[in-house]
Amino acid sequence: MTVSNHFDVIVIGSGPGGEGAAMGLTKAGLNVAIIEKESSVGGGCTHWGTIPSKALRHAVSRIIEFNNNPLFCKNNTSLHSTFSNILSHAKTVIDKQTRLRQGFYDRNECALIFGSARFIESNKVAVMQSDGSDEIYTADKFVIATGSRPYRPDNVDFNHERIYDSDSILSLKHDPRHIIIYGAGVIGCEYASIFRGLGVKTDLINTRDRLLSFLDNEVSDALSYHFWNSGVVIRNDETYEHVEGTEDGVIVHLQSGKKMKADCILYANGRTGNTDKLNLEAVSLAADSRGQLKVNSNYQTEVEHVYAVGDVIGYPSLASAAYDQGRFVAQAITKGQADNYLIEDIPTGIYTIPEISSVGKTEQELTAAKVPYEVGRSSFKHLARAQIAGKDIGSLKILFHRETKEILGIHCFGERAAEIIHIGQAIMEQKGEANTIEYFVNTTFNYPTMAEAYRVAALNGLNRLF
C-alpha cells in the first residue's frame, strides 16, 4: 500500500486501544494511519503483557494438573519444565495474534507506519526509521494509544543481568531456583503463581498490608492461603531500601532491616504511561507524573484535535476496556460524540493459579454504604463437573439486595473464574426485575457444568432470607 503524507486521523500505538480506534475510523470511511514503534503490531498487550503472561500461566497450570492427576502419576512420574522452555509456547501464541492483527489492517486498508513517533507541530509528527532518519506525516486529528510500561525507579539497576521487570522477564535465559518478586499487584501475583508452579522458590514482597486489597476480602484471603499452601512466602507491609545486584543473584535490603537473597528479582511495582518520547510540548500538552493524559467523556484531551485511550489515560488499564475506548473515540471523531461509554461494572480477571474474577461491589463496599445485602455461596468441591475435572478448589459468591434481590456483586475464585463471571455479569447488566438472583433459580442449567454454581449459590442465598 502506498502511504501518503496526510491523513484524516493518525493513531499512535497499535495495542488494543489503537486497534479499536483505527478499525472504527477506517470502517467509517476515513483515511487513517497507525504508527507502531515496534517491528510488528499488537502493542504491549500482545508482546509483553496480557498474551504472553496468560500463555505462560496456561502451560504451567496444565503441568500442575498433570502432576496432580492420579491417572498419570501411578509410577511416581511427573512433568517438569523451566520458565525458558515454556516461553516457546508464549512465542507461538504471540506470532498467531500478530498475524491475525496484521490482517485486520490489511483488509481495512489502514496504513501501517513503523517507527517512533513524536510531535513536531500541532498537526505534524516525525517518525524515526530504523536507520535514524525521519519521515514527516500530517493529520487533522490524532489518537494517542501508546500504552504503558513497567515503572523503573532510578535507584534500581535494571541493566544488571539478574534484575528484571515484567517486560524483560520474558527474555529470561537462565533457570532460577529462587526468585524474589517485588510488588504484589496483579502482575506480581500472576508471576508468583507461574514461578511457584514451576517449582521455583518464590518470595513475594507486598508493599501493602494484604494481597490485592481492591478485591473482596474473602477472595483476597483465599489467594493468600493458596499461595501459602503452595509454598510462596509473602512478606506484607515491606518496602525496599536498595536492591544489590551480585555476580550470581540479588540481595534486597528492606527498610524494616531484613535482607533477602535470591537468584534474581522481578520488579513489578507500578506502571508508567508511554508519553515521555512523544514531545507533547509541540502540541501544547503535558502528561502527569505517571505519564498519563487527562481526557473528557469523548476521550478528547485539553487540545481539541488530540484524543487518547487505553493505559495512557489510566483507570481501568485493561486490554478489554482499551479496545472499547478505541471504538468509542472513533465514534466521537466521526460523529462529534461517542454513542457508547464503558459499562459501570467492568469485570476483573486475575490469572493467578487458581484464577480470580469479580464484577460489581465487594462485601466491604456494601457494608460501608449500609446496603442491606445477603450472600449466596457455592463451593466448587460440591459440583459434579469440578469433581470430574479435578478442579474442586474454589467457590462462587453472589451478593444481592435483601429486599429487591438485585444482584450487587459476584466474586469467583477457581479454575475458569474469568469465564464463569460473564454469566452473572450478563444478568447484572439487565434492568429492573430481570436483574435478580431468582433468575438463577428459575432457569435450567446444563448438567454437569461449572455454571451450575450460580444455581447452587442462588439457592444458598435465598435460604438465608427471613
Side-chain angles (χ1 to χ4, degrees):
M1 183 190 302
T2 302
V3 178
S4 68
N5 281 357
H6 182 78
F7 298 90
D8 296 326
V9 185
I10 287 178
V11 180
I12 305 175
S14 70
E19 180 185 307
M23 294 301 99
L25 291 164
T26 55
K27 289 179 187 298
L30 274 65
N31 182 23
V32 180
I34 194 160
I35 301 173
E36 172 53 54
K37 68 182 178 67
E38 302 298 332
S39 57
S40 56
V41 298
C45 168
T46 299
H47 294 279
W48 305 282
T50 305
I51 297 302
S53 64
K54 278 51 176 179
L56 290 168
R57 185 257 182 211
H58 179 81
V60 172
S61 182
R62 296 292 78 83
I63 291 170
I64 295 171
E65 182 179 358
F66 178 92
N67 290 337
N68 290 338
N69 192 320
L71 287 173
F72 306 129
C73 302
K74 291 179 180 177
N75 300 317
N76 292 322
T77 59
S78 61
L79 281 179
H80 295 282
S81 191
T82 62
F83 189 84
S84 54
N85 283 341
I86 63 171
L87 275 173
S88 60
H89 171 56
K91 288 185 172 66
T92 301
V93 178
I94 291 168
D95 289 343
K96 287 180 180 177
Q97 285 288 306
T98 299
R99 286 196 299 272
L100 175 75
R101 297 192 137 62
Q102 178 73 44
F104 295 160
Y105 298 111
D106 294 342
R107 286 197 305 276
N108 287 279
E109 298 185 341
C110 177
L112 269 171
I113 302 168
F114 290 100
S116 297
R118 69 184 187 280
F119 287 99
I120 53 176
E121 290 179 15
S122 180
N123 291 83
K124 188 180 293 185
V125 291
V127 179
M128 183 181 291
Q129 312 296 296
S130 57
D131 62 3
S133 64
D134 282 340
E135 291 282 345
I136 307 300
Y137 300 93
T138 58
D140 299 329
K141 298 182 189 299
F142 295 88
V143 178
I144 298 173
T146 46
S148 63
R149 64 183 184 276
Y151 171 64
R152 287 187 163 195
D154 294 335
N155 60 350
V156 177
D157 179 15
F158 288 92
N159 291 320
H160 192 281
E161 61 181 4
R162 295 300 178 93
I163 299 177
Y164 300 92
D165 63 23
S166 58
D167 284 357
S168 61
I169 196 72
L170 296 172
S171 301
L172 182 72
K173 295 295 189 293
H174 67 102
D175 293 312
R177 291 174 297 172
H178 184 183
I179 187 170
I180 294 169
I181 299 176
Y182 184 84
V186 172
I187 294 171
C189 286
E190 288 180 350
Y191 272 106
S193 288
I194 289 169
F195 279 104
R196 189 64 201 130
L198 289 169
V200 178
K201 185 178 179 182
T202 303
D203 290 338
L204 182 61
I205 301 176
N206 183 18
T207 59
R208 303 189 178 186
D209 62 349
R210 64 185 299 124
L211 291 184
L212 304 177
S213 55
F214 60 88
L215 291 175
D216 187 271
N217 282 349
E218 281 190 350
V219 177
S220 172
D221 291 343
L223 179 64
S224 295
Y225 168 77
H226 282 281
F227 272 173
W228 171 82
N229 196 44
S230 68
V232 175
V233 175
I234 305 170
R235 296 188 183 272
N236 292 322
D237 276 328
E238 296 279 11
T239 307
Y240 79 93
E241 188 173 87
H242 71 277
V243 177
E244 177 188 350
T246 66
E247 188 175 326
D248 60 349
V250 292
I251 300 172
V252 178
H253 300 258
L254 299 172
Q255 289 184 5
S256 63
K258 302 183 188 74
K259 289 195 286 189
M260 302 170 67
K261 185 177 182 180
D263 299 336
C264 61
I265 183 172
L266 167 58
Y267 189 98
N269 198 40
R271 295 184 68 83
T272 301
N274 289 324
T275 52
D276 53 315
K277 295 180 181 176
L278 289 176
N279 191 31
L280 292 174
E281 297 85 354
V283 72
S284 302
L285 267 180
D288 66 16
S289 59
R290 292 178 295 171
Q292 296 173 355
L293 295 167
K294 292 180 182 177
V295 295
N296 62 19
S297 59
N298 285 320
Y299 301 97
Q300 190 175 37
T301 68
E302 294 166 348
V303 176
E304 187 178 6
H305 69 289
V306 180
Y307 299 75
V309 295
D311 281 14
V312 82
I313 65 170
Y315 178 85
S317 296
L318 297 169
S320 53
Y323 188 86
D324 287 340
Q325 290 169 344
R327 292 191 304 112
F328 302 155
V329 82
Q331 296 167 0
I333 290 172
T334 55
K335 301 178 181 180
Q337 185 171 335
D339 294 334
N340 306 98
Y341 301 95
L342 285 180
I343 58 173
E344 181 179 349
D345 292 318
I346 298 172
T348 297
I350 302 169
Y351 295 84
T352 47
I353 303 173
E355 214 166 272
I356 296 169
S357 195
S358 65
V359 64
K361 302 298 185 185
T362 64
E363 283 204 59
Q364 54 266 34
E365 287 172 336
L366 293 173
T367 298
K370 293 183 169 55
V371 175
Y373 72 92
E374 194 47 86
V375 184
R377 289 186 177 86
S378 171
S379 178
F380 286 3
K381 66 184 178 183
H382 297 141
L383 300 178
R385 183 61 181 265
Q387 293 168 357
I388 292 167
K391 298 291 184 183
D392 57 357
I393 293 174
S395 63
L396 176 76
K397 177 164 76 170
I398 305 175
L399 309 179
F400 64 100
H401 198 287
R402 283 188 61 93
E403 292 149 16
T404 66
K405 301 185 181 66
E406 176 189 0
I407 300 168
L408 304 171
I410 303 170
H411 306 277
C412 190
F413 179 76
E415 184 69 10
R416 305 290 178 186
E419 300 282 357
I420 293 167
I421 202 74
H422 290 127
I423 298 166
Q425 181 198 17
I427 304 305
M428 277 185 70
E429 284 297 306
Q430 306 307 306
K431 305 302 178 189
E433 293 183 4
N435 171 15
T436 72
I437 194 170
E438 291 177 328
Y439 169 86
F440 299 119
V441 175
N442 297 328
T443 197
T444 302
F445 288 88
N446 278 332
Y447 177 84
T449 58
M450 296 302 293
E452 189 195 1
Y454 280 98
R455 182 181 62 83
V456 176
L459 286 167
N460 175 265
L462 290 172
N463 284 340
R464 295 176 186 274
L465 297 179
F466 55 86

